[in-house]
Amino acid sequence: MSESAAGALRLAVDVGGTFTDIIVHDASDGSLRFEKVPTTPAQPSVGVLNAFAQAKATAGRAEYFAHGTTLRLNALLARAGARTAVVTTQGFRDVYLLGRTDRVVAYDFRYRKPASLIPRSRTFEIPERLNFKGEVLCAFDREAAQAVARTIDGLGIESVAVCFLHSYVNPVHEVAMAEILAVTAPRAQVTLSHSLTREYREYERTSTAVLDAYIRPLMRGYIGELEDRLAQERFQGRFFMIRSGGGAMTADRARDAPVNLILSGPAGGVLGAASFAKATNEPNLITIDMGGTSLDASLIVGGEPVVQHEASFHGLPMMVASLYINTIGAGGGSLVWIDEGGHLQVGPGSAGAVPGPAAYGKGGSSATVTDAALVCGYLGTETALAGTLMLDDELARSALAPSAQALGMSVDHVAYGVVRIAIAKIVGAVRAITVEMGYRPADFALLAFGGARGLVAAGEFSTMEGEAIEALEADSFPSSRRRFHRLIDLRYQGQEHSVSIPVEARVDAEELERLGVAFHAAHALRYGHALSDPIEVVTVRTRAVGLVERPELPAVTVRSIAQLVPTTRRSVYQEDGSRTEYAVYHRDSFCFEDRIVGPAVVNEHTSTTILHEGDFAVVGRLGELRVDVFGG
Amino acid sequence: MSPDTITVEVIRHGLIASADEMARNLCRTAYNTIVYEIHDYGVGIHDADGNVVADTPGVASFTGANDFGIKRAVEFLGRDTLRDGDAVLLNYPYWSCAHTLDALVFAPIFFDRELIAFASCRVHLLDLNQKDPGYVLDSTDMSQEGIVFPAVRICIGGEPNQDIFNIIRFNSRMPERTIGDVQAQIAACQTGERRVQEIARKYGAQPLRQAMKEINDHGERLALAALARLPKGTWSALDFVDSDGIDVDRMIPLKVTVTITDAKMIVDWTDTREPADGPVNVPRGLTVADTMLAFKALTTPDSPVTAGNFRPLEVLTTPGSLLEAVPPMPTFTLWTGLLIPEVITKALAQGMPDLVPACSGGDVCDIMTLGAQPDSGLRWLEAINDAVGFGAHSEGDGEDGIMHVTEPGCRNSPIEVLETKAPILIDDYGYRADSGGPGRFRGGVGVVRTYQFLAPSTAIVINYKTKTRPWSIGRGLPGESNTVVLHPDTDHQQHVGASYNHFLAGERIRNLTGGGGGWGDPLHRDLKLVMADVSAGFVSVQNAEADYGVAVDPVTLELDERGTRSLRR
């Protein structure tokens, strides 16, 4: 790796379903550049290199390259991953398919689970058994294992997940299975459950291994392809992937445990929010990221994102560290409909990216939240969304017209109602995460990012003293220093739920006493009470972290000349049925300490912020908008 | 001015979020795993008359029962005696509509000194000095079922009523956890109270009241629209409770007559007249709540629960009968209630075989195991519900291995967790092949789990519907019944239903859960589907031939087309 010379670039790229975003930090002038190019689904690495070009980022000058992606999630959703098999303990081939046998929908007697990633015919058993202490009750049957490996090879299976009972205590049999597979089924890639998590709960551990195995060939292929292209462009810096649990992992590590990339996309935004929390002295933040089909809400506590070890992706559990993110089906594309009882409803169905909201003019005729926001005047027809997409007000209105007729209301009033209902759902989701973690929403500021975000932020969060401000993308990650974080999961004897407590390397009597006190306090915060029961250790975790030098975030300029002037004016629908003129500003024109007084609309590349009468915003040092909501 | 329908929806989302917050707070603060792991709770927000306007998914039959409990308690206490900050504890089975351990706590919600709503929270408490630890299978009257709280104020004006807490403290085998759970219930109700008051502050008490009325009127319109589409007529059905828990050989009939008109569904249980000697009687409120579960699934499964949904539902019972227990009839084993929804669908299936599924495995198939740890001597207790197969229907197969229709949020217990906590080794756990009822669409298969005890232990089998098979629709065939085998694969193996059993180290018990009933003629099942079932091992080669008329080579598992043609002719 070359020395961090003046003029070096740090790059961050997020490959989403529709767009590939790039942020470039140029050390020579301290500037940040942001660009957006279309994602190239057939060969996403092409889009990444296109983004480099669009941002005039010469790969040869890049010192760090941090990469997040939601792209391979589509493979999971479409069940288009690798041809995968499960190998498990004799008597337990169905553990994975049965799962926890529960369901979310309460009243559907015809309920079917979502399709499994693998059919039952690709679940295999090996005679072997350990007890919970890791003692061998039944020896590993090598001959049976070889027979299974031959079958796997014969079936042309691409990827194998191995999970034996109690392997988290003693992985000896999983390791033996891997050795046999390497010889007898050399074309198959192998994931061992204990290498991803050393915790009990066989279904969740198997599911983690299956997710890993299922996306492994795809992710390895993609990372290799990208590395090749970067090499062609004379990239000599370090290449990191954003991991679901925060932080970044080297491309090599990502190849070995791709399951850690499943929430890579959403994690990038939350990590950016965490560094922003530190930079702006707002240690506690609620983050919301609203996209086309869904909204992700997350928490920053004390400047750090909240990490959990029992995450899931669309109902598929994964026992790897993941940021705590609550996803609800409310996005710009959520569909508007009238139920049989004559009430207006929003979602959970979505118009998706194609055809998308009616106003996109891509053939969609169903009304969505985006259409409603356009009719209300929150979005405009005068500026393009994401650079190129112009909205059509007439299409939005005609899509909403049938609902308006059914309700006997004006199109404007229905549009306003759609926005109100969407906000009500979002507020519920945000309250849920803070309450579940034992916090009060009022102790948090609100950080909104994602396309549709500003619409909701200024609307309803007055009770939470929300401050809608711009998010920053994750930065680059060099590795100069190392730190170790040791965590111990404790619980009251016989209970299920545990609490993670940081622990010193050396556990002596004093440390034990401190742990006890800390556990009782943490349990009281998280669960509302402490018990006098004995405490037991569930899991010990160590996290090794490479610390990075973070570049100074560039401050926005101070206004020297001219007043801030609106680019245009727009009429915005009000609750009482009237329309009011709102000044429309472009965010690029803001300088440090500018005050924007509502009624106003702030437009930008990727998002829109609405300030109603009585609201005002101040531009912070880093260009963030600090909104004070008084009206609403 | 009354709120427009959009404002009503906004308020509804606020109320649902309030109920959700109550449930999250409850799970966060409850002391017992049955609440926060298995989700054995019912949480709701109700209007000033006790009618539910918002709830969260937990045990499906609890929320309807909460309405009933609140109404009875308010009637008993007198509406005028309720004060701001009060919370009421009720577990008198005939009013609270569940056994003594499923205790209801509710709080009146005041705004501007006016009662505007109620918040309710029911959980399964661990112990109130019922005759046996854990569960009661053979009580003969209420006095054996634990201490009763007939709508007492557990909080007065916001302050805990220590007298009541002391009664619990001195009348429970596990006082700290039982009190902790009651406190969690109170905290949940107080969360609901604060949130509803915030909504009242924002929109005004009068608009909120009108919105709650409209939420229920709207719920009624949804149900009526669904009823209008259903076939009209009257149909009857019969099923049996395995036994009353005392005389284990005598089955108890459960008969229903269902009538659907343009504006009503009448569910008439008055042919079920006799009371039982043992604790399988159910209070009327629970009969109604379990009937509501079937009605909701039939009419408005996709919309949130409101009391208005059930206005078109009429439930008839006879006082003093199995389905309307009166004091001091024993009611502890609520399992009769598990049969109720599917006896109703059995009647409906005669008139609308395309609209309802066949019977599921029909039970929650619970085995409760307990004993002393061999090294420490500490007592241990584990309860495991196992999944069943769902019934097949006109559009497809029933789900394989899924928790019973009455317990959507419940989950199985991880084997590694169980083996760490109790001296048990699970020998096997998986799908029970050939248990799904054959049909053009196949009933889901049940599961099988074998326990090996590593130390002397007791197993309480709470497994009913072992004596009748899950019924099918049309030419479909029934699924296999639930059954529990003591000492399986030995020369003294024995099939049992609900029972207490004692084991020595090294002995085994096997829980085989029921499969769903089939739908339509199995000879008309798509060959590809039969072959897929054979290849996955859900249907054996023998049964493919015997039930589906499909000949399969037992070695290669390939289709024998000629053999099949002659079998299916």
Side-chain angles (χ1 to χ4, degrees), chain B residues 37 56 81 97 109 130 134 188 196 206 220 229 295 303 310 328 370 382 482 491 513 535 537 565:
Chain B
E37 274 283 311
T56 54
T81 70
C97 315
I109 301 175
Q130 67 286 356
V196 172
Q206 182 61 10
E220 181 182 19
R229 281 193 296 271
F295 182 76
S303 65
F310 306 103
L370 49 133
E382 294 295 329
N482 302 309
D491 55 8
T513 74
S535 121
R565 262 200 303 281

PDB file of all heavy atoms in Angstrom, chain B residues 37 56 81 97 109 130 134 188 196 206 220 229 295 303 310 328 370 382 482 491 513 535 537 565:
ATOM      1  N   GLU B  37     -41.042 -15.303  25.462  1.00  0.00           N
ATOM      2  CA  GLU B  37     -40.556 -16.198  24.407  1.00  0.00           C
ATOM      3  C   GLU B  37     -41.724 -16.774  23.618  1.00  0.00           C
ATOM      4  O   GLU B  37     -41.720 -16.820  22.411  1.00  0.00           O
ATOM      5  CB  GLU B  37     -39.752 -17.365  25.015  1.00  0.00           C
ATOM      6  CG  GLU B  37     -38.296 -17.049  25.255  1.00  0.00           C
ATOM      7  CD  GLU B  37     -37.475 -17.084  23.979  1.00  0.00           C
ATOM      8  OE1 GLU B  37     -37.583 -18.051  23.219  1.00  0.00           O
ATOM      9  OE2 GLU B  37     -36.731 -16.122  23.748  1.00  0.00           O
ATOM     10  N   THR B  56     -52.761  -6.403  19.697  1.00  0.00           N
ATOM     11  CA  THR B  56     -51.550  -6.888  19.039  1.00  0.00           C
ATOM     12  C   THR B  56     -51.604  -8.405  19.029  1.00  0.00           C
ATOM     13  O   THR B  56     -52.197  -9.010  19.914  1.00  0.00           O
ATOM     14  CB  THR B  56     -50.271  -6.481  19.793  1.00  0.00           C
ATOM     15  OG1 THR B  56     -50.404  -6.916  21.141  1.00  0.00           O
ATOM     16  CG2 THR B  56     -50.065  -4.999  19.761  1.00  0.00           C
ATOM     17  N   THR B  81     -67.413   3.809  40.399  1.00  0.00           N
ATOM     18  CA  THR B  81     -66.384   3.660  41.428  1.00  0.00           C
ATOM     19  C   THR B  81     -64.978   3.695  40.831  1.00  0.00           C
ATOM     20  O   THR B  81     -64.006   3.736  41.565  1.00  0.00           O
ATOM     21  CB  THR B  81     -66.546   2.319  42.170  1.00  0.00           C
ATOM     22  OG1 THR B  81     -66.206   1.254  41.281  1.00  0.00           O
ATOM     23  CG2 THR B  81     -67.963   2.127  42.675  1.00  0.00           C
ATOM     24  N   CYS B  97     -62.804 -15.338  31.710  1.00  0.00           N
ATOM     25  CA  CYS B  97     -62.864 -16.132  30.484  1.00  0.00           C
ATOM     26  C   CYS B  97     -61.587 -16.897  30.203  1.00  0.00           C
ATOM     27  O   CYS B  97     -61.202 -17.061  29.045  1.00  0.00           O
ATOM     28  CB  CYS B  97     -63.170 -15.288  29.265  1.00  0.00           C
ATOM     29  SG  CYS B  97     -64.488 -14.147  29.546  1.00  0.00           S
ATOM     30  N   ILE B 109     -59.065   4.518  31.508  1.00  0.00           N
ATOM     31  CA  ILE B 109     -58.273   5.674  31.054  1.00  0.00           C
ATOM     32  C   ILE B 109     -59.150   6.918  31.127  1.00  0.00           C
ATOM     33  O   ILE B 109     -60.229   6.962  30.525  1.00  0.00           O
ATOM     34  CB  ILE B 109     -57.766   5.457  29.614  1.00  0.00           C
ATOM     35  CG1 ILE B 109     -56.908   4.184  29.554  1.00  0.00           C
ATOM     36  CG2 ILE B 109     -56.976   6.665  29.134  1.00  0.00           C
ATOM     37  CD1 ILE B 109     -56.463   3.806  28.153  1.00  0.00           C
ATOM     38  N   GLN B 130     -52.450 -23.121  42.642  1.00  0.00           N
ATOM     39  CA  GLN B 130     -53.342 -24.155  42.118  1.00  0.00           C
ATOM     40  C   GLN B 130     -52.871 -25.514  42.651  1.00  0.00           C
ATOM     41  O   GLN B 130     -51.724 -25.625  43.085  1.00  0.00           O
ATOM     42  CB  GLN B 130     -53.370 -24.124  40.574  1.00  0.00           C
ATOM     43  CG  GLN B 130     -52.090 -24.511  39.867  1.00  0.00           C
ATOM     44  CD  GLN B 130     -50.978 -23.460  39.935  1.00  0.00           C
ATOM     45  OE1 GLN B 130     -51.166 -22.370  40.461  1.00  0.00           O
ATOM     46  NE2 GLN B 130     -49.816 -23.826  39.433  1.00  0.00           N
ATOM     47  N   GLY B 134     -47.352 -26.043  37.963  1.00  0.00           N
ATOM     48  CA  GLY B 134     -47.350 -26.074  36.502  1.00  0.00           C
ATOM     49  C   GLY B 134     -48.739 -26.046  35.905  1.00  0.00           C
ATOM     50  O   GLY B 134     -49.166 -25.036  35.365  1.00  0.00           O
ATOM     51  N   ALA B 188     -47.676  -2.171  31.498  1.00  0.00           N
ATOM     52  CA  ALA B 188     -48.169  -2.174  30.117  1.00  0.00           C
ATOM     53  C   ALA B 188     -49.447  -1.354  30.020  1.00  0.00           C
ATOM     54  O   ALA B 188     -49.619  -0.533  29.111  1.00  0.00           O
ATOM     55  CB  ALA B 188     -48.397  -3.604  29.644  1.00  0.00           C
ATOM     56  N   VAL B 196     -52.986   6.787  25.026  1.00  0.00           N
ATOM     57  CA  VAL B 196     -54.351   7.156  24.649  1.00  0.00           C
ATOM     58  C   VAL B 196     -54.638   8.583  25.117  1.00  0.00           C
ATOM     59  O   VAL B 196     -55.291   9.362  24.411  1.00  0.00           O
ATOM     60  CB  VAL B 196     -55.364   6.147  25.224  1.00  0.00           C
ATOM     61  CG1 VAL B 196     -56.792   6.634  24.997  1.00  0.00           C
ATOM     62  CG2 VAL B 196     -55.164   4.775  24.583  1.00  0.00           C
ATOM     63  N   GLN B 206     -63.786  14.151  22.594  1.00  0.00           N
ATOM     64  CA  GLN B 206     -65.005  13.837  21.840  1.00  0.00           C
ATOM     65  C   GLN B 206     -64.670  13.253  20.462  1.00  0.00           C
ATOM     66  O   GLN B 206     -65.187  12.192  20.112  1.00  0.00           O
ATOM     67  CB  GLN B 206     -65.867  15.109  21.740  1.00  0.00           C
ATOM     68  CG  GLN B 206     -67.193  14.927  21.033  1.00  0.00           C
ATOM     69  CD  GLN B 206     -68.106  13.929  21.737  1.00  0.00           C
ATOM     70  OE1 GLN B 206     -67.836  13.498  22.870  1.00  0.00           O
ATOM     71  NE2 GLN B 206     -69.172  13.531  21.059  1.00  0.00           N
ATOM     72  N   GLU B 220     -67.484  -3.490  11.559  1.00  0.00           N
ATOM     73  CA  GLU B 220     -68.738  -4.195  11.288  1.00  0.00           C
ATOM     74  C   GLU B 220     -69.022  -4.215   9.778  1.00  0.00           C
ATOM     75  O   GLU B 220     -69.410  -5.248   9.226  1.00  0.00           O
ATOM     76  CB  GLU B 220     -69.892  -3.508  12.024  1.00  0.00           C
ATOM     77  CG  GLU B 220     -71.225  -4.207  11.800  1.00  0.00           C
ATOM     78  CD  GLU B 220     -72.398  -3.502  12.482  1.00  0.00           C
ATOM     79  OE1 GLU B 220     -72.247  -2.306  12.823  1.00  0.00           O
ATOM     80  OE2 GLU B 220     -73.449  -4.141  12.663  1.00  0.00           O
ATOM     81  N   ARG B 229     -70.888 -12.255   0.916  1.00  0.00           N
ATOM     82  CA  ARG B 229     -70.347 -13.086  -0.158  1.00  0.00           C
ATOM     83  C   ARG B 229     -70.443 -14.583   0.133  1.00  0.00           C
ATOM     84  O   ARG B 229     -70.204 -15.399  -0.736  1.00  0.00           O
ATOM     85  CB  ARG B 229     -68.858 -12.735  -0.374  1.00  0.00           C
ATOM     86  CG  ARG B 229     -68.612 -11.476  -1.167  1.00  0.00           C
ATOM     87  CD  ARG B 229     -67.149 -11.396  -1.589  1.00  0.00           C
ATOM     88  NE  ARG B 229     -66.270 -11.295  -0.440  1.00  0.00           N
ATOM     89  CZ  ARG B 229     -65.910 -10.141   0.129  1.00  0.00           C
ATOM     90  NH1 ARG B 229     -66.355  -9.011  -0.369  1.00  0.00           N
ATOM     91  NH2 ARG B 229     -65.111 -10.128   1.171  1.00  0.00           N
ATOM     92  N   PHE B 295     -64.714 -16.942  13.260  1.00  0.00           N
ATOM     93  CA  PHE B 295     -65.462 -15.938  12.485  1.00  0.00           C
ATOM     94  C   PHE B 295     -64.513 -14.947  11.822  1.00  0.00           C
ATOM     95  O   PHE B 295     -64.678 -14.575  10.660  1.00  0.00           O
ATOM     96  CB  PHE B 295     -66.435 -15.208  13.422  1.00  0.00           C
ATOM     97  CG  PHE B 295     -67.286 -14.188  12.724  1.00  0.00           C
ATOM     98  CD1 PHE B 295     -68.357 -14.571  11.936  1.00  0.00           C
ATOM     99  CD2 PHE B 295     -67.017 -12.829  12.866  1.00  0.00           C
ATOM    100  CE1 PHE B 295     -69.148 -13.621  11.289  1.00  0.00           C
ATOM    101  CE2 PHE B 295     -67.786 -11.878  12.230  1.00  0.00           C
ATOM    102  CZ  PHE B 295     -68.864 -12.283  11.438  1.00  0.00           C
ATOM    103  N   SER B 303     -57.676  -7.624   8.202  1.00  0.00           N
ATOM    104  CA  SER B 303     -57.779  -6.290   8.802  1.00  0.00           C
ATOM    105  C   SER B 303     -57.589  -6.395  10.309  1.00  0.00           C
ATOM    106  O   SER B 303     -57.759  -7.455  10.895  1.00  0.00           O
ATOM    107  CB  SER B 303     -59.135  -5.673   8.466  1.00  0.00           C
ATOM    108  OG  SER B 303     -60.165  -6.421   9.065  1.00  0.00           O
ATOM    109  N   PHE B 310     -67.284  -8.260  15.159  1.00  0.00           N
ATOM    110  CA  PHE B 310     -68.043  -9.404  15.679  1.00  0.00           C
ATOM    111  C   PHE B 310     -69.504  -9.080  15.952  1.00  0.00           C
ATOM    112  O   PHE B 310     -70.223  -9.909  16.479  1.00  0.00           O
ATOM    113  CB  PHE B 310     -67.349  -9.938  16.938  1.00  0.00           C
ATOM    114  CG  PHE B 310     -65.897 -10.245  16.687  1.00  0.00           C
ATOM    115  CD1 PHE B 310     -64.899  -9.392  17.134  1.00  0.00           C
ATOM    116  CD2 PHE B 310     -65.534 -11.342  15.932  1.00  0.00           C
ATOM    117  CE1 PHE B 310     -63.562  -9.650  16.861  1.00  0.00           C
ATOM    118  CE2 PHE B 310     -64.201 -11.603  15.641  1.00  0.00           C
ATOM    119  CZ  PHE B 310     -63.215 -10.761  16.111  1.00  0.00           C
ATOM    120  N   PRO B 328     -69.435 -23.688  40.867  1.00  0.00           N
ATOM    121  CA  PRO B 328     -67.967 -23.788  40.963  1.00  0.00           C
ATOM    122  C   PRO B 328     -67.395 -24.824  39.995  1.00  0.00           C
ATOM    123  O   PRO B 328     -66.459 -25.529  40.353  1.00  0.00           O
ATOM    124  CB  PRO B 328     -67.799 -24.245  42.405  1.00  0.00           C
ATOM    125  CG  PRO B 328     -68.967 -25.195  42.614  1.00  0.00           C
ATOM    126  CD  PRO B 328     -70.088 -24.740  41.715  1.00  0.00           C
ATOM    127  N   LEU B 370     -40.718 -32.228  33.995  1.00  0.00           N
ATOM    128  CA  LEU B 370     -40.150 -31.645  35.193  1.00  0.00           C
ATOM    129  C   LEU B 370     -39.417 -32.694  36.012  1.00  0.00           C
ATOM    130  O   LEU B 370     -39.629 -33.894  35.832  1.00  0.00           O
ATOM    131  CB  LEU B 370     -41.223 -30.959  36.047  1.00  0.00           C
ATOM    132  CG  LEU B 370     -42.504 -31.725  36.362  1.00  0.00           C
ATOM    133  CD1 LEU B 370     -42.811 -31.612  37.841  1.00  0.00           C
ATOM    134  CD2 LEU B 370     -43.646 -31.157  35.552  1.00  0.00           C
ATOM    135  N   GLU B 382     -39.846 -27.700  31.988  1.00  0.00           N
ATOM    136  CA  GLU B 382     -39.844 -27.205  30.610  1.00  0.00           C
ATOM    137  C   GLU B 382     -41.152 -27.606  29.938  1.00  0.00           C
ATOM    138  O   GLU B 382     -41.613 -28.732  30.104  1.00  0.00           O
ATOM    139  CB  GLU B 382     -38.672 -27.808  29.813  1.00  0.00           C
ATOM    140  CG  GLU B 382     -37.292 -27.378  30.292  1.00  0.00           C
ATOM    141  CD  GLU B 382     -37.038 -25.891  30.097  1.00  0.00           C
ATOM    142  OE1 GLU B 382     -37.584 -25.310  29.134  1.00  0.00           O
ATOM    143  OE2 GLU B 382     -36.310 -25.305  30.922  1.00  0.00           O
ATOM    144  N   ASN B 482     -53.117 -37.008  16.694  1.00  0.00           N
ATOM    145  CA  ASN B 482     -52.062 -36.838  17.685  1.00  0.00           C
ATOM    146  C   ASN B 482     -51.959 -38.108  18.493  1.00  0.00           C
ATOM    147  O   ASN B 482     -52.971 -38.730  18.825  1.00  0.00           O
ATOM    148  CB  ASN B 482     -52.430 -35.720  18.671  1.00  0.00           C
ATOM    149  CG  ASN B 482     -52.666 -34.409  17.968  1.00  0.00           C
ATOM    150  OD1 ASN B 482     -51.840 -33.980  17.187  1.00  0.00           O
ATOM    151  ND2 ASN B 482     -53.797 -33.777  18.236  1.00  0.00           N
ATOM    152  N   ASP B 491     -40.905 -53.489  23.893  1.00  0.00           N
ATOM    153  CA  ASP B 491     -42.035 -54.419  23.904  1.00  0.00           C
ATOM    154  C   ASP B 491     -43.141 -53.949  24.849  1.00  0.00           C
ATOM    155  O   ASP B 491     -44.212 -54.538  24.904  1.00  0.00           O
ATOM    156  CB  ASP B 491     -41.564 -55.841  24.255  1.00  0.00           C
ATOM    157  CG  ASP B 491     -40.807 -55.872  25.567  1.00  0.00           C
ATOM    158  OD1 ASP B 491     -40.783 -54.830  26.269  1.00  0.00           O
ATOM    159  OD2 ASP B 491     -40.227 -56.922  25.898  1.00  0.00           O
ATOM    160  N   THR B 513     -47.429 -35.614  16.400  1.00  0.00           N
ATOM    161  CA  THR B 513     -48.540 -34.674  16.279  1.00  0.00           C
ATOM    162  C   THR B 513     -49.318 -34.928  14.990  1.00  0.00           C
ATOM    163  O   THR B 513     -48.803 -35.509  14.030  1.00  0.00           O
ATOM    164  CB  THR B 513     -48.059 -33.213  16.316  1.00  0.00           C
ATOM    165  OG1 THR B 513     -47.428 -32.916  15.066  1.00  0.00           O
ATOM    166  CG2 THR B 513     -47.082 -32.979  17.463  1.00  0.00           C
ATOM    167  N   SER B 535     -40.386 -37.749  -3.208  1.00  0.00           N
ATOM    168  CA  SER B 535     -38.949 -37.453  -3.242  1.00  0.00           C
ATOM    169  C   SER B 535     -38.532 -36.698  -1.983  1.00  0.00           C
ATOM    170  O   SER B 535     -37.449 -36.896  -1.459  1.00  0.00           O
ATOM    171  CB  SER B 535     -38.614 -36.704  -4.533  1.00  0.00           C
ATOM    172  OG  SER B 535     -38.057 -35.460  -4.263  1.00  0.00           O
ATOM    173  N   GLY B 537     -39.991 -37.121   0.856  1.00  0.00           N
ATOM    174  CA  GLY B 537     -40.212 -38.007   1.991  1.00  0.00           C
ATOM    175  C   GLY B 537     -41.429 -37.656   2.829  1.00  0.00           C
ATOM    176  O   GLY B 537     -41.595 -38.181   3.925  1.00  0.00           O
ATOM    177  N   ARG B 565     -51.079 -45.769 -14.312  1.00  0.00           N
ATOM    178  CA  ARG B 565     -52.282 -45.681 -15.150  1.00  0.00           C
ATOM    179  C   ARG B 565     -53.316 -46.707 -14.713  1.00  0.00           C
ATOM    180  O   ARG B 565     -54.493 -46.394 -14.587  1.00  0.00           O
ATOM    181  CB  ARG B 565     -51.914 -45.881 -16.624  1.00  0.00           C
ATOM    182  CG  ARG B 565     -51.763 -44.558 -17.372  1.00  0.00           C
ATOM    183  CD  ARG B 565     -51.884 -44.728 -18.874  1.00  0.00           C
ATOM    184  NE  ARG B 565     -50.915 -45.670 -19.430  1.00  0.00           N
ATOM    185  CZ  ARG B 565     -49.636 -45.352 -19.670  1.00  0.00           C
ATOM    186  NH1 ARG B 565     -49.192 -44.127 -19.423  1.00  0.00           N
ATOM    187  NH2 ARG B 565     -48.815 -46.243 -20.170  1.00  0.00           N
TER     188      ARG B 565
END
